Amino acid sequence: MKYTAIILAAGKGSRMDSDVYKQYMELGGYPLICYPLFVFEQSRVDEIVLVTGEDETEYCQTQIVDKYQFHKVRKIVRGGSERYLSVYQGLCAIEDTDIVLIHDGARPFVTVDIIDRTICAAEQYGTGVAAVPAKDTVKIADEQHFVVCTPDRGTVWMMQTPQTFRYPLICQAYERVIRQHIRDITDDAMVVECGLSQPVKLVEGSYRNIKVTTPEDMEIASVFAESTKIDKKIKKFEKEY
Ligand code: CTP
Ligand code: MG
């Protein structure tokens, strides 16, 4: 079996509103994107396609991939204007594989165990996406912000990444949503839900596997970075200049 990860770093982080895009912000002494790259390097994934913004490919090649010796990064490709279009660019860059893992570059605290769980499910069911049970009560509201209904919390899950699929299945699903111009797609599971009848299997993620989205997430990430000590491990790989 061949495993390929698409790591997404082509967003502009509008909700973070920082000078540097959030995926390149400094966390524990390293650019944030180094954390997920480091974990995927340690995993059973064979190759990584890194998807970046238009003007960031050179920076990613020299200051991230070469500097920290992320040998599994085989390609750096330019993303699109929406997350799902960036994923599509990543999929187009894959020559052949069996399993595709799609991961947000803005989730620094993914673990090898979470990666493995999504892979096992994808091998068994065709799909395996990381998620955690909702802690808060979720409401559906109308446009005037009046509550319409309350889904049973026991059935509500917060989606994370990696979202992992058999290669032909995810290609087929993406081709369909692109062809049909379906919009407002916020994760890869949705692409399968919209495009195919295949059910999507949830696997255990982690409450630490946060997506750094707003400034307060960076404060939480700094605390997590301190306790995971990944930064110390990355240091060993850093090329001396
Ligand atoms: N992403 C991407 N291409 C896009 C949009 C997002 O590769 N056109 C990536 C981001 O870099 C991030 C992940 O998808 O790693 C999750 O997206 P999100 O948290 O929404 O990041 P941004 O789109 O950058 O942030 P915002 O929505 O606040 O602008
Ligand atoms: Mg976004």
Side-chain angles (χ1 to χ4, degrees), residues 8-16 22-23 51 80-83 86 104-107 211-213:
L8 298 169
K12 297 197 185 310
S14 57
R15 287 170 287 177
M16 183 61 75
K22 62 186 183 182
Q23 58 272 31
V51 185
S81 57
E82 300 291 333
R83 183 188 180 281
S86 293
D104 294 330
R107 286 186 196 273
K211 180 161 68 66
V212 173
T213 306

Side-chain angles (χ1 to χ4, degrees), residues 2-6 45-49 94 96-97 99-101:
K2 185 174 170 188
Y3 307 107
T4 304
I6 296 173
V45 159
D46 298 291
E47 58 176 21
I48 299 169
V49 175
I94 296 174
D96 193 29
T97 194
I99 300 282
V100 178
L101 301 88

Side-chain angles (χ1 to χ4, degrees), residues 2-237:
K2 185 174 170 188
Y3 307 107
T4 304
I6 296 173
I7 299 191
L8 298 169
K12 297 197 185 310
S14 57
R15 287 170 287 177
M16 183 61 75
D17 197 24
S18 52
D19 295 341
V20 178
Y21 293 152
K22 62 186 183 182
Q23 58 272 31
Y24 308 118
M25 281 167 78
E26 188 253 300
L27 181 63
Y30 297 90
L32 192 153
I33 190 70
C34 286
Y35 288 70
L37 285 171
F38 180 77
V39 177
F40 276 86
E41 281 279 328
Q42 308 300 303
S43 77
R44 67 168 118 156
V45 159
D46 298 291
E47 58 176 21
I48 299 169
V49 175
L50 180 60
V51 185
T52 71
E54 191 90 358
D55 305 321
E56 297 136 32
T57 51
E58 179 66 22
Y59 165 81
C60 282
Q61 184 66 57
T62 59
Q63 298 305 309
I64 307 282
V65 174
D66 295 348
K67 183 170 176 180
Y68 298 103
Q69 306 189 61
F70 294 126
H71 299 299
K72 290 185 181 176
V73 177
R74 298 291 147 72
K75 283 187 184 158
I76 300 180
V77 301
R78 291 185 172 85
S81 57
E82 300 291 333
R83 183 188 180 281
Y84 76 99
L85 296 171
S86 293
V87 175
Y88 188 64
Q89 292 307 314
L91 284 172
C92 292
I94 296 174
E95 271 146 42
D96 193 29
T97 194
D98 297 302
I99 300 282
V100 178
L101 301 88
I102 303 168
H103 185 68
D104 294 330
R107 286 186 196 273
F109 306 113
V110 61
T111 63
V112 170
D113 285 346
I114 299 172
I115 290 171
D116 280 344
R117 284 197 286 273
T118 69
I119 288 176
C120 286
E123 286 179 343
Q124 195 176 347
Y125 306 107
T127 61
V129 304
V132 286
K135 293 186 193 179
D136 295 331
T137 297
V138 172
K139 303 277 182 191
I140 309 297
D142 65 17
E143 280 171 12
Q144 284 75 44
H145 298 176
F146 286 104
V147 170
V148 175
C149 64
T150 308
D152 171 8
R153 198 181 58 196
T155 67
V156 178
W157 294 77
M158 312 294 282
M159 303 310 295
Q160 302 185 336
T161 67
Q163 300 202 353
T164 301
F165 308 91
R166 285 198 203 118
Y167 177 57
L169 183 147
I170 195 67
C171 289
Q172 205 190 339
Y174 262 93
E175 264 149 30
R176 197 171 295 191
V177 297
I178 298 277
R179 205 172 43 237
Q180 294 177 355
H181 304 288
I182 299 171
R183 282 161 217 280
D184 297 326
I185 290 167
T186 52
D187 76 347
D188 312 294
M190 249 181 105
V191 175
V192 175
E193 291 159 50
C194 292
L196 304 175
S197 53
Q198 178 87 20
V200 175
K201 176 71 174 166
L202 305 183
V203 303
E204 186 191 348
S206 151
Y207 287 113
R208 300 174 75 90
N209 185 23
I210 59 165
K211 180 161 68 66
V212 173
T213 306
T214 56
E216 50 277 8
D217 295 327
M218 266 315 268
E219 293 180 40
I220 298 166
S222 301
V223 175
F224 285 175
E226 186 60 36
S227 62
T228 53
K229 303 268 187 285
I230 278 182
D231 53 331
K232 306 281 182 309
K233 296 178 200 155
I234 294 173
K235 193 158 185 63
K236 282 194 241 153
F237 286 75

